[in-house]
Amino acid sequence: MPEFIDVAIQAAREAGRYLLENRGKISPENIDEKAQNDFVTFVDQNSEKMIVETILSHFPEHKILAEEGTRRSGENAFRWIIDPLDGTKNFIQNIPEFSVSIALQQNEEIIIGVVYDPVHDELFAAEEGSGATCNGKQMKISTRPFSRALIATGFPFKFKEYLPKYLLAFEEVFLKCSGMRRMGSAALDLSHTALGRFEGFFELGLSMWDIAAGSLLIQETGGIVTDFRGENHFLDTGFIIAGNPEVHRALLEVTKHHFSQTIQNLEKRHHAG
Ligand code: IPD
Ligand code: CA
Ligand code: CA
């Protein structure tokens, strides 16, 4: 039987090739709006089909949770969590920042995480307990302090009711760190944090497939990843903070400060929705 990581890498590379072939070919009639500001194209859907086919050809009993609708449930302990194109808006607008994200969960634990950026041919891969690599080279999270940190984030464009609190948190982080970026692919934000290009990342309202693979990359490179309360519910709630230990602590202080009153309700609401 092939190793899980090899299958994840094969599937991510195949899908990445397909994304590249179709880059710049999206016309307005190819774009559907699943919900307000949440777009999908035939490329997202076909990429998902390819990934699922590859995985099931090796592991037909495994469960699947994929963004564009593939669901396989059952008793099996293994579940693949797939974002076939993270950064759809960038892809549609031909901005070269998008990725494929594939994670494998055993019971509740993420044991494999692979993120592939086909434009730059960068493959980020982690196996639980074995560290994480970028194109085969061991990665290590940055040790820069918060005052000199570059912090990635994402805007809560699907959850505008959170905007006032998000903006307060953004302002506090912005005033204390050295710079901020909004790149448009949460999976790559986490990958670049694991690689040390960013010192930290925070966003709210994400889905499991955006962050499952990237969260393992962070953990395997010596970083910390939690939700906005410092707990472990980031996969379920989509509220996530990641970074080197000092930066994570600083971001957590900010999110606790601005979200402490309402975080429980917000998390429950997001989880329910
Ligand atoms: C999106 C990206 C983006 C984040 C959004 C996600 P999609 O994923 O990760 O960076 O801000 O919230 O939905 O829709 O392009 O797969
Ligand atoms: Ca996504
Ligand atoms: Ca997606």
Side-chain angles (χ1 to χ4, degrees), residues 11-230:
R13 283 196 185 280
E14 284 167 0
R17 239 187 330 268
Y18 174 75
L19 299 186
L20 279 190
E21 281 161 17
N22 285 280
R23 200 178 153 208
K25 293 189 187 161
I26 303 295
S27 50
E29 60 273 16
N30 297 140
I31 305 168
D32 283 329
E33 201 166 353
K34 291 192 276 192
Q36 203 192 4
N37 290 321
D38 191 1
F39 303 101
V40 62
T41 70
F42 70 93
V43 177
D44 301 67
Q45 289 158 343
N46 289 342
S47 173
E48 178 163 314
K49 271 190 213 138
M50 293 172 63
I51 296 166
V52 168
E53 238 174 71
T54 298
I55 289 172
L56 290 182
S57 72
H58 293 285
F59 308 113
E61 309 298 328
H62 285 191
K63 297 188 285 189
I64 306 248
L65 171 69
E67 178 173 15
E68 305 312 337
T70 310
R71 302 280 184 276
R72 291 182 93 244
S73 45
E75 295 304 307
N76 201 279
F78 294 99
R79 177 169 74 157
W80 295 84
I81 303 172
I82 300 160
D83 191 335
L85 168 48
D86 187 54
T88 292
K89 188 67 175 161
N90 282 349
F91 187 84
I92 289 170
Q93 310 257 151
N94 208 359
I95 296 169
E97 179 81 2
F98 53 84
S99 61
V100 177
S101 176
I102 301 177
L104 176 61
Q105 196 178 37
Q106 183 174 16
N107 300 316
E108 291 303 300
E109 222 167 311
I110 305 292
I111 58 165
I112 298 287
V114 169
V115 176
Y116 183 50
D117 168 351
V119 173
H120 303 98
D121 191 22
E122 285 189 323
L123 185 107
F124 303 89
E127 259 183 290
E128 195 203 12
S130 306
T133 56
C134 174
N135 287 350
K137 218 173 137 219
Q138 208 70 31
M139 295 196 284
K140 203 170 172 305
I141 204 147
S142 157
T143 53
R144 255 189 220 109
F146 191 47
S147 59
R148 303 192 49 208
L150 185 59
I151 303 295
T153 186
F155 306 135
F157 62 96
K158 290 183 211 155
F159 301 96
K160 294 210 170 108
E161 67 273 29
Y162 303 157
L163 190 62
K165 282 179 190 301
Y166 172 81
L167 289 177
L168 290 173
F170 181 97
E171 182 180 355
E172 195 175 332
V173 172
F174 181 72
L175 290 173
K176 290 180 175 167
C177 74
S178 111
M180 296 185 72
R181 296 289 184 272
R182 195 296 190 246
M183 307 295 280
S185 162
L188 281 182
D189 291 335
L190 287 163
S191 305
H192 292 163
T193 304
L195 184 60
R197 287 177 180 153
F198 298 132
E199 276 65 45
F201 168 66
F202 72 102
E203 187 163 345
L204 58 80
L206 288 168
S207 299
M208 215 180 262
W209 42 75
D210 301 315
I211 53 181
S215 66
L216 185 64
L217 296 173
I218 296 287
Q219 285 162 344
E220 289 297 323
T221 51
I224 312 281
V225 52
T226 67
D227 62 20
F228 277 19
R229 286 191 290 164

Side-chain angles (χ1 to χ4, degrees), residues 215-248:
S215 66
L216 185 64
L217 296 173
I218 296 287
Q219 285 162 344
E220 289 297 323
T221 51
I224 312 281
V225 52
T226 67
D227 62 20
F228 277 19
R229 286 191 290 164
E231 289 171 15
N232 189 10
H233 307 301
F234 55 91
L235 282 183
D236 295 323
T237 63
F239 287 69
I240 186 168
I241 308 172
N244 74 38
E246 189 211 312
V247 167
H248 176 271

